[in-house]
CSV table of all heavy atoms in Angstrom, one decimal:
chain,number,residue,atom,x,y,z
A,373,MET,N,105.7,200.8,10.1
A,373,MET,CA,104.4,201.3,10.6
A,373,MET,C,103.7,200.3,11.4
A,373,MET,O,103.6,199.1,11.0
A,373,MET,CB,103.6,201.8,9.4
A,373,MET,CG,102.3,202.5,9.9
A,373,MET,SD,101.4,203.1,8.4
A,373,MET,CE,99.9,203.4,9.1
A,374,SER,N,103.4,200.7,12.6
A,374,SER,CA,102.7,199.7,13.5
A,374,SER,C,101.2,199.6,13.1
A,374,SER,O,100.6,200.5,12.5
A,374,SER,CB,102.9,200.1,15.0
A,374,SER,OG,102.2,201.3,15.2
A,375,ALA,N,100.6,198.5,13.5
A,375,ALA,CA,99.2,198.3,13.2
A,375,ALA,C,98.3,199.2,14.0
A,375,ALA,O,98.7,199.6,15.1
A,375,ALA,CB,98.9,196.8,13.5
A,376,ARG,N,97.2,199.5,13.5
A,376,ARG,CA,96.2,200.3,14.3
A,376,ARG,C,95.7,199.4,15.4
A,376,ARG,O,95.6,198.2,15.3
A,376,ARG,CB,95.1,200.7,13.4
A,376,ARG,CG,95.5,201.7,12.3
A,376,ARG,CD,94.3,202.1,11.5
A,376,ARG,NE,93.5,201.0,11.1
A,376,ARG,CZ,92.3,201.0,10.7
A,376,ARG,NH1,91.6,202.2,10.7
A,376,ARG,NH2,91.6,200.0,10.3
A,377,PHE,N,95.3,200.0,16.5
A,377,PHE,CA,94.8,199.2,17.6
A,377,PHE,C,93.6,198.4,17.2
A,377,PHE,O,93.5,197.2,17.7
A,377,PHE,CB,94.4,200.2,18.8
A,377,PHE,CG,94.0,199.5,20.0
A,377,PHE,CD1,95.0,198.9,20.8
A,377,PHE,CD2,92.7,199.3,20.3
A,377,PHE,CE1,94.6,198.2,22.0
A,377,PHE,CE2,92.3,198.6,21.5
A,377,PHE,CZ,93.3,198.0,22.3
A,378,ILE,N,92.7,198.9,16.4
A,378,ILE,CA,91.5,198.1,16.0
A,378,ILE,C,91.9,196.9,15.3
A,378,ILE,O,91.3,195.8,15.4
A,378,ILE,CB,90.5,199.0,15.2
A,378,ILE,CG1,89.2,198.2,15.1
A,378,ILE,CG2,91.1,199.4,13.9
A,378,ILE,CD1,88.4,198.0,16.3
A,379,ASP,N,93.0,196.9,14.5
A,379,ASP,CA,93.4,195.8,13.8
A,379,ASP,C,94.0,194.7,14.7
A,379,ASP,O,93.8,193.5,14.5
A,379,ASP,CB,94.5,196.2,12.7
A,379,ASP,CG,93.9,197.1,11.7
A,379,ASP,OD1,92.7,197.0,11.3
A,379,ASP,OD2,94.6,197.9,11.2
A,380,ILE,N,94.7,195.2,15.7
A,380,ILE,CA,95.3,194.3,16.7
A,380,ILE,C,94.1,193.6,17.5
A,380,ILE,O,94.1,192.4,17.8
A,380,ILE,CB,96.2,195.0,17.7
A,380,ILE,CG1,97.5,195.4,16.9
A,380,ILE,CG2,96.6,194.2,18.9
A,380,ILE,CD1,98.4,196.4,17.6
A,381,HIS,N,93.1,194.4,17.8
A,381,HIS,CA,91.9,193.9,18.5
A,381,HIS,C,91.3,192.8,17.7
A,381,HIS,O,90.9,191.7,18.2
A,381,HIS,CB,91.0,195.0,18.8
A,381,HIS,CG,89.8,194.6,19.6
A,381,HIS,ND1,88.8,195.5,19.9
A,381,HIS,CD2,89.4,193.5,20.2
A,381,HIS,CE1,87.8,194.9,20.6
A,381,HIS,NE2,88.2,193.6,20.8
A,382,ARG,N,91.1,193.0,16.4
A,382,ARG,CA,90.4,192.0,15.6
A,382,ARG,C,91.3,190.7,15.5
A,382,ARG,O,90.7,189.6,15.6
A,382,ARG,CB,90.2,192.6,14.2
A,382,ARG,CG,89.1,193.6,14.1
A,382,ARG,CD,88.9,194.2,12.7
A,382,ARG,NE,87.9,195.2,12.8
A,382,ARG,CZ,88.0,196.3,12.1
A,382,ARG,NH1,89.0,196.6,11.3
A,382,ARG,NH2,87.0,197.2,12.2
A,383,GLU,N,92.6,190.9,15.4
A,383,GLU,CA,93.4,189.7,15.3
A,383,GLU,C,93.4,189.0,16.6
A,383,GLU,O,93.4,187.7,16.6
A,383,GLU,CB,94.9,190.1,15.0
A,383,GLU,CG,95.8,189.0,14.7
A,383,GLU,CD,97.1,189.3,14.3
A,383,GLU,OE1,97.4,190.5,13.9
A,383,GLU,OE2,98.0,188.4,14.3
A,384,PHE,N,93.3,189.7,17.8
A,384,PHE,CA,93.2,189.0,19.1
A,384,PHE,C,92.0,188.2,19.1
A,384,PHE,O,92.0,187.0,19.5
A,384,PHE,CB,93.2,190.1,20.2
A,384,PHE,CG,92.9,189.5,21.5
A,384,PHE,CD1,94.0,188.9,22.3
A,384,PHE,CD2,91.7,189.5,22.1
A,384,PHE,CE1,93.7,188.4,23.5
A,384,PHE,CE2,91.4,189.0,23.3
A,384,PHE,CZ,92.4,188.4,24.0
A,385,LEU,N,90.8,188.7,18.7
A,385,LEU,CA,89.6,188.0,18.7
A,385,LEU,C,89.6,186.8,17.8
A,385,LEU,O,89.1,185.7,18.1
A,385,LEU,CB,88.4,188.9,18.3
A,385,LEU,CG,88.1,190.0,19.3
A,385,LEU,CD1,87.0,191.0,18.7
A,385,LEU,CD2,87.7,189.5,20.6
A,386,GLN,N,90.3,186.9,16.7
A,386,GLN,CA,90.5,185.7,15.8
A,386,GLN,C,91.3,184.6,16.4
A,386,GLN,O,91.0,183.4,16.3
A,386,GLN,CB,91.1,186.2,14.5
A,386,GLN,CG,90.2,187.0,13.6
A,386,GLN,CD,90.9,187.5,12.3
A,386,GLN,OE1,92.1,187.5,12.2
A,386,GLN,NE2,90.1,188.0,11.4
A,387,LEU,N,92.3,185.0,17.1
A,387,LEU,CA,93.2,184.1,17.8
A,387,LEU,C,92.4,183.3,18.9
A,387,LEU,O,92.5,182.1,19.1
A,387,LEU,CB,94.4,184.7,18.4
A,387,LEU,CG,95.4,185.2,17.4
A,387,LEU,CD1,96.5,186.1,18.1
A,387,LEU,CD2,96.1,184.1,16.7
A,388,ILE,N,91.6,184.1,19.7
A,388,ILE,CA,90.7,183.5,20.7
A,388,ILE,C,89.7,182.5,20.0
A,388,ILE,O,89.6,181.4,20.5
A,388,ILE,CB,90.0,184.5,21.5
A,388,ILE,CG1,91.0,185.3,22.4
A,388,ILE,CG2,88.9,183.9,22.4
A,388,ILE,CD1,91.6,184.6,23.5
A,389,ALA,N,89.1,182.9,19.0
A,389,ALA,CA,88.1,182.1,18.3
A,389,ALA,C,88.8,180.8,17.8
A,389,ALA,O,88.1,179.7,17.8
A,389,ALA,CB,87.5,182.8,17.1
A,390,SER,N,90.0,180.8,17.4
A,390,SER,CA,90.7,179.6,16.9
A,390,SER,C,91.5,178.9,18.0
A,390,SER,O,92.3,178.0,17.7
A,390,SER,CB,91.6,180.0,15.7
A,390,SER,OG,92.6,180.9,16.1
A,391,LYS,N,91.3,179.4,19.2
A,391,LYS,CA,91.9,178.7,20.4
A,391,LYS,C,93.4,178.7,20.4
A,391,LYS,O,94.0,177.8,20.8
A,391,LYS,CB,91.3,177.3,20.6
A,391,LYS,CG,89.8,177.3,20.8
A,391,LYS,CD,89.3,176.0,21.1
A,391,LYS,CE,87.8,176.1,21.3
A,391,LYS,NZ,87.1,174.8,21.5
A,392,GLU,N,94.0,179.8,19.8
A,392,GLU,CA,95.4,179.9,19.9
A,392,GLU,C,95.8,180.8,21.1
A,392,GLU,O,96.1,182.0,21.0
A,392,GLU,CB,95.9,180.6,18.5
A,392,GLU,CG,95.6,179.7,17.3
A,392,GLU,CD,96.2,180.2,16.1
A,392,GLU,OE1,97.4,180.5,16.1
A,392,GLU,OE2,95.5,180.4,15.1
A,393,TRP,N,95.7,180.2,22.2
A,393,TRP,CA,95.8,180.9,23.5
A,393,TRP,C,97.2,181.6,23.7
A,393,TRP,O,97.2,182.7,24.2
A,393,TRP,CB,95.6,179.9,24.7
A,393,TRP,CG,94.4,179.0,24.5
A,393,TRP,CD1,94.4,177.6,24.5
A,393,TRP,CD2,93.0,179.4,24.3
A,393,TRP,NE1,93.1,177.2,24.3
A,393,TRP,CE2,92.3,178.2,24.2
A,393,TRP,CE3,92.4,180.6,24.2
A,393,TRP,CZ2,90.9,178.2,24.0
A,393,TRP,CZ3,91.0,180.6,24.0
A,393,TRP,CH2,90.3,179.5,23.9
A,394,THR,N,98.2,180.9,23.4
A,394,THR,CA,99.6,181.5,23.6
A,394,THR,C,99.8,182.7,22.8
A,394,THR,O,100.3,183.7,23.2
A,394,THR,CB,100.7,180.5,23.4
A,394,THR,OG1,100.4,179.3,24.2
A,394,THR,CG2,102.0,181.0,23.7
A,395,LYS,N,99.4,182.6,21.5
A,395,LYS,CA,99.5,183.8,20.6
A,395,LYS,C,98.6,184.9,21.1
A,395,LYS,O,99.0,186.1,21.0
A,395,LYS,CB,99.2,183.4,19.2
A,395,LYS,CG,100.2,182.5,18.5
A,395,LYS,CD,99.8,182.2,17.1
A,395,LYS,CE,100.8,181.2,16.4
A,395,LYS,NZ,100.4,180.9,15.1
A,396,ALA,N,97.4,184.6,21.5
A,396,ALA,CA,96.5,185.6,22.0
A,396,ALA,C,97.1,186.4,23.2
A,396,ALA,O,97.0,187.6,23.3
A,396,ALA,CB,95.2,185.0,22.3
A,397,LEU,N,97.6,185.6,24.2
A,397,LEU,CA,98.2,186.3,25.3
A,397,LEU,C,99.4,187.1,25.0
A,397,LEU,O,99.5,188.2,25.4
A,397,LEU,CB,98.6,185.2,26.4
A,397,LEU,CG,99.2,185.7,27.6
A,397,LEU,CD1,98.3,186.7,28.4
A,397,LEU,CD2,99.6,184.6,28.6
A,398,THR,N,100.2,186.6,24.1
A,398,THR,CA,101.4,187.4,23.6
A,398,THR,C,100.9,188.7,23.0
A,398,THR,O,101.5,189.7,23.2
A,398,THR,CB,102.3,186.5,22.6
A,398,THR,OG1,102.7,185.4,23.3
A,398,THR,CG2,103.4,187.3,22.1
A,399,MET,N,99.9,188.6,22.1
A,399,MET,CA,99.4,189.8,21.5
A,399,MET,C,98.9,190.8,22.5
A,399,MET,O,99.1,192.0,22.3
A,399,MET,CB,98.3,189.4,20.5
A,399,MET,CG,97.7,190.6,19.8
A,399,MET,SD,96.8,190.2,18.4
A,399,MET,CE,98.1,190.0,17.3
A,400,ALA,N,98.1,190.3,23.5
A,400,ALA,CA,97.6,191.2,24.5
A,400,ALA,C,98.7,191.9,25.2
A,400,ALA,O,98.7,193.1,25.5
A,400,ALA,CB,96.7,190.5,25.5
A,401,GLU,N,99.8,191.2,25.6
A,401,GLU,CA,100.9,191.8,26.3
A,401,GLU,C,101.7,192.8,25.4
A,401,GLU,O,102.1,193.8,25.9
A,401,GLU,CB,101.8,190.7,26.8
A,401,GLU,CG,101.2,189.9,27.9
A,401,GLU,CD,102.0,188.7,28.3
A,401,GLU,OE1,102.9,188.2,27.6
A,401,GLU,OE2,101.7,188.2,29.5
A,402,ARG,N,101.8,192.5,24.2
A,402,ARG,CA,102.5,193.4,23.2
A,402,ARG,C,101.7,194.7,23.1
A,402,ARG,O,102.2,195.8,23.1
A,402,ARG,CB,102.8,192.8,21.9
A,402,ARG,CG,103.9,191.8,21.9
A,402,ARG,CD,104.2,191.4,20.5
A,402,ARG,NE,105.1,190.2,20.5
A,402,ARG,CZ,105.2,189.4,19.5
A,402,ARG,NH1,104.5,189.5,18.4
A,402,ARG,NH2,106.0,188.4,19.6
A,403,ALA,N,100.4,194.5,22.9
A,403,ALA,CA,99.5,195.7,22.7
A,403,ALA,C,99.5,196.6,23.9
A,403,ALA,O,99.4,197.8,23.8
A,403,ALA,CB,98.1,195.2,22.4
A,404,GLU,N,99.7,196.0,25.1
A,404,GLU,CA,99.7,196.7,26.3
A,404,GLU,C,100.9,197.7,26.4
A,404,GLU,O,100.8,198.8,26.8
A,404,GLU,CB,99.8,195.8,27.5
A,404,GLU,CG,99.3,196.2,28.8
A,404,GLU,CD,99.2,195.1,29.8
A,404,GLU,OE1,100.2,194.5,30.1
A,404,GLU,OE2,98.1,194.8,30.2
A,405,VAL,N,102.0,197.2,25.8
A,405,VAL,CA,103.3,198.0,25.7
A,405,VAL,C,103.2,199.1,24.6
A,405,VAL,O,103.5,200.2,24.8
A,405,VAL,CB,104.5,197.1,25.5
A,405,VAL,CG1,105.7,197.9,25.2
A,405,VAL,CG2,104.7,196.2,26.7
A,406,ILE,N,102.6,198.7,23.5
A,406,ILE,CA,102.6,199.6,22.3
A,406,ILE,C,101.5,200.7,22.6
A,406,ILE,O,101.7,201.9,22.2
A,406,ILE,CB,102.2,198.9,21.0
A,406,ILE,CG1,103.4,197.9,20.7
A,406,ILE,CG2,102.0,199.8,19.9
A,406,ILE,CD1,103.0,196.9,19.6
A,407,TYR,N,100.4,200.3,23.2
A,407,TYR,CA,99.3,201.3,23.4
A,407,TYR,C,99.0,201.4,24.9
A,407,TYR,O,97.9,200.9,25.4
A,407,TYR,CB,98.0,200.8,22.7
A,407,TYR,CG,98.2,200.8,21.2
A,407,TYR,CD1,98.5,199.6,20.5
A,407,TYR,CD2,98.0,202.0,20.5
A,407,TYR,CE1,98.6,199.6,19.1
A,407,TYR,CE2,98.2,202.0,19.1
A,407,TYR,CZ,98.5,200.8,18.4
A,407,TYR,OH,98.6,200.8,17.1
A,408,PRO,N,99.8,202.0,25.7
A,408,PRO,CA,99.6,202.1,27.2
A,408,PRO,C,98.3,202.8,27.5
A,408,PRO,O,97.7,202.6,28.5
A,408,PRO,CB,100.8,202.8,27.7
A,408,PRO,CG,101.4,203.5,26.5
A,408,PRO,CD,101.0,202.7,25.3
A,409,ASP,N,97.8,203.7,26.6
A,409,ASP,CA,96.6,204.4,26.8
A,409,ASP,C,95.3,203.5,26.6
A,409,ASP,O,94.2,203.9,26.9
A,409,ASP,CB,96.5,205.6,25.9
A,409,ASP,CG,96.5,205.3,24.4
A,409,ASP,OD1,97.3,204.4,24.0
A,409,ASP,OD2,95.8,205.9,23.6
A,410,LYS,N,95.5,202.3,26.2
A,410,LYS,CA,94.4,201.4,25.9
A,410,LYS,C,94.4,200.3,27.0
A,410,LYS,O,93.9,199.2,26.7
A,410,LYS,CB,94.5,200.8,24.5
A,410,LYS,CG,94.5,201.8,23.4
A,410,LYS,CD,93.2,202.4,23.2
A,410,LYS,CE,93.2,203.2,21.9
A,410,LYS,NZ,92.0,204.0,21.7
A,411,ILE,N,95.1,200.5,28.1
A,411,ILE,CA,95.2,199.4,29.1
A,411,ILE,C,93.9,198.9,29.6
A,411,ILE,O,93.8,197.7,29.9
A,411,ILE,CB,96.0,200.0,30.4
A,411,ILE,CG1,96.4,198.8,31.3
A,411,ILE,CG2,95.3,201.0,31.1
A,411,ILE,CD1,97.7,198.3,31.1
A,412,HIS,N,92.8,199.7,29.6
A,412,HIS,CA,91.5,199.2,29.9
A,412,HIS,C,91.0,198.1,29.0
A,412,HIS,O,90.3,197.2,29.4
A,412,HIS,CB,90.5,200.3,30.1
A,412,HIS,CG,90.4,201.2,28.9
A,412,HIS,ND1,91.4,202.2,28.6
A,412,HIS,CD2,89.5,201.4,27.9
A,412,HIS,CE1,91.1,202.8,27.5
A,412,HIS,NE2,89.9,202.3,27.1
A,413,TYR,N,91.4,198.2,27.7
A,413,TYR,CA,91.1,197.2,26.7
A,413,TYR,C,91.9,195.9,26.9
A,413,TYR,O,91.5,194.8,27.0
A,413,TYR,CB,91.2,197.7,25.3
A,413,TYR,CG,90.2,198.6,24.9
A,413,TYR,CD1,90.5,200.0,24.7
A,413,TYR,CD2,88.9,198.2,24.6
A,413,TYR,CE1,89.5,200.9,24.3
A,413,TYR,CE2,87.9,199.1,24.2
A,413,TYR,CZ,88.2,200.4,24.1
A,413,TYR,OH,87.3,201.3,23.7
A,414,THR,N,93.3,196.2,27.0
A,414,THR,CA,94.2,195.0,27.0
A,414,THR,C,94.0,194.2,28.3
A,414,THR,O,94.2,193.0,28.3
A,414,THR,CB,95.6,195.5,26.8
A,414,THR,OG1,96.0,196.5,27.7
A,414,THR,CG2,95.8,196.0,25.4
A,415,SER,N,93.7,194.9,29.4
A,415,SER,CA,93.5,194.2,30.6
A,415,SER,C,92.2,193.3,30.5
A,415,SER,O,92.2,192.2,31.0
A,415,SER,CB,93.3,195.2,31.8
A,415,SER,OG,94.4,195.9,32.0
A,416,PHE,N,91.2,193.8,29.9
A,416,PHE,CA,90.0,193.0,29.6
A,416,PHE,C,90.3,191.8,28.8
A,416,PHE,O,89.8,190.7,29.0
A,416,PHE,CB,88.9,193.9,29.0
A,416,PHE,CG,87.7,193.1,28.7
A,416,PHE,CD1,86.8,192.8,29.7
A,416,PHE,CD2,87.4,192.7,27.4
A,416,PHE,CE1,85.6,192.1,29.5
A,416,PHE,CE2,86.2,192.0,27.2
A,416,PHE,CZ,85.3,191.7,28.2
A,417,TRP,N,91.2,192.0,27.8
A,417,TRP,CA,91.5,190.9,26.9
A,417,TRP,C,92.2,189.8,27.7
A,417,TRP,O,91.8,188.6,27.5
A,417,TRP,CB,92.6,191.3,25.9
A,417,TRP,CG,92.1,192.3,24.8
A,417,TRP,CD1,90.8,192.8,24.7
A,417,TRP,CD2,92.9,192.9,23.8
A,417,TRP,NE1,90.8,193.7,23.7
A,417,TRP,CE2,92.0,193.8,23.1
A,417,TRP,CE3,94.2,192.8,23.4
A,417,TRP,CZ2,92.5,194.5,22.0
A,417,TRP,CZ3,94.7,193.5,22.4
A,417,TRP,CH2,93.8,194.3,21.6
A,418,LYS,N,93.1,190.2,28.6
A,418,LYS,CA,93.7,189.2,29.4
A,418,LYS,C,92.8,188.4,30.4
A,418,LYS,O,92.8,187.2,30.6
A,418,LYS,CB,94.9,189.8,30.2
A,418,LYS,CG,96.1,190.1,29.2
A,418,LYS,CD,97.3,190.4,29.9
A,418,LYS,CE,97.4,191.7,30.7
A,418,LYS,NZ,98.7,192.0,31.3
A,419,VAL,N,91.8,189.2,30.9
A,419,VAL,CA,90.8,188.5,31.7
A,419,VAL,C,90.0,187.6,30.9
A,419,VAL,O,89.7,186.5,31.3
A,419,VAL,CB,89.9,189.6,32.4
A,419,VAL,CG1,88.7,189.0,33.0
A,419,VAL,CG2,90.7,190.4,33.4
A,420,HIS,N,89.6,188.0,29.7
A,420,HIS,CA,88.8,187.2,28.8
A,420,HIS,C,89.6,185.9,28.5
A,420,HIS,O,89.1,184.8,28.5
A,420,HIS,CB,88.5,187.9,27.5
A,420,HIS,CG,87.8,187.1,26.5
A,420,HIS,ND1,86.5,186.8,26.6
A,420,HIS,CD2,88.3,186.4,25.4
A,420,HIS,CE1,86.1,186.0,25.6
A,420,HIS,NE2,87.2,185.8,24.8
A,421,PHE,N,90.9,186.1,28.2
A,421,PHE,CA,91.8,184.9,27.9
A,421,PHE,C,91.8,184.0,29.0
A,421,PHE,O,91.7,182.8,28.9
A,421,PHE,CB,93.2,185.5,27.6
A,421,PHE,CG,94.2,184.4,27.6
A,421,PHE,CD1,94.4,183.6,26.5
A,421,PHE,CD2,95.1,184.2,28.6
A,421,PHE,CE1,95.4,182.6,26.4
A,421,PHE,CE2,96.1,183.3,28.6
A,421,PHE,CZ,96.2,182.4,27.5
A,422,LEU,N,91.9,184.4,30.3
A,422,LEU,CA,92.0,183.6,31.4
A,422,LEU,C,90.7,182.8,31.7
A,422,LEU,O,90.7,181.8,32.3
A,422,LEU,CB,92.4,184.4,32.7
A,422,LEU,CG,93.8,184.9,32.6
A,422,LEU,CD1,94.1,185.9,33.8
A,422,LEU,CD2,94.8,183.8,32.7
A,423,SER,N,89.6,183.4,31.2
A,423,SER,CA,88.3,182.8,31.4
A,423,SER,C,88.0,181.7,30.4
A,423,SER,O,87.0,180.9,30.6
A,423,SER,CB,87.2,183.8,31.4
A,423,SER,OG,87.0,184.3,30.1
A,424,CYS,N,88.8,181.6,29.4
A,424,CYS,CA,88.5,180.6,28.3
A,424,CYS,C,89.0,179.2,28.7
A,424,CYS,O,89.8,178.9,29.4
A,424,CYS,CB,89.2,181.0,27.0
A,424,CYS,SG,88.5,182.4,26.3
């Protein structure tokens, strides 16, 4: 069973907070594939990641 999107979002935020940049980017890219209907969120994540 795949994780719910909200759980992936929370984990992404935790990775950013702990400065685990590579893991955060990987998670954003995977979420983009798993949840194509949430591209507006995952694109924002990547922009956020690039601004850190």
